[in-house]
Amino acid sequence: MANFKITKNGKDLVNGLTKEQAIEKLFTTVEDFSKGYIYDNEAETIYHEVDGRVVAKKGDESVRAGDNYFEIEEEKENA
């Protein structure tokens, strides 16, 4: 079974997740590791706190939050 990770600008933040866990954790990770982007758990979106613009919605596997890019990636197996 494949493991997944969440990265910020190509650097690992969270490792060893199932695909479902990674999708569930992505938005809280974006909120924790970016400035000015808020996770609205009721609407299941990430939005910019100043202008209210939605930058991601539930099911997205990547988020552009200002200068930061968050992405769910499959972890490579060590051979």
Side-chain angles (χ1 to χ4, degrees):
M1 185 162 153
N3 285 325
F4 292 83
K5 62 185 176 181
I6 298 173
T7 63
K8 175 184 177 187
N9 303 327
K11 296 184 179 176
D12 295 1
L13 292 177
V14 184
N15 297 71
L17 303 170
T18 66
K19 180 77 169 221
E20 293 78 22
Q21 289 171 326
I23 290 171
E24 289 296 318
K25 190 155 183 62
L26 178 62
F27 284 6
T28 56
T29 302
V30 171
E31 184 177 48
D32 291 345
F33 289 91
S34 67
K35 293 186 184 207
Y37 290 86
I38 308 296
Y39 171 46
D40 179 346
N41 63 342
E42 289 181 14
E44 297 182 318
T45 60
I46 291 279
Y47 67 93
H48 188 259
E49 71 179 332
V50 174
D51 63 16
R53 184 175 55 91
V54 173
V55 296
K57 60 185 184 323
K58 184 171 179 150
D60 290 348
E61 294 186 19
S62 63
V63 178
R64 167 97 32 217
D67 293 337
N68 297 308
Y69 184 69
F70 297 84
E71 184 175 28
I72 295 172
E73 297 179 9
E74 188 171 348
E75 292 183 333
K76 307 256 190 284
E77 290 186 28
N78 293 332

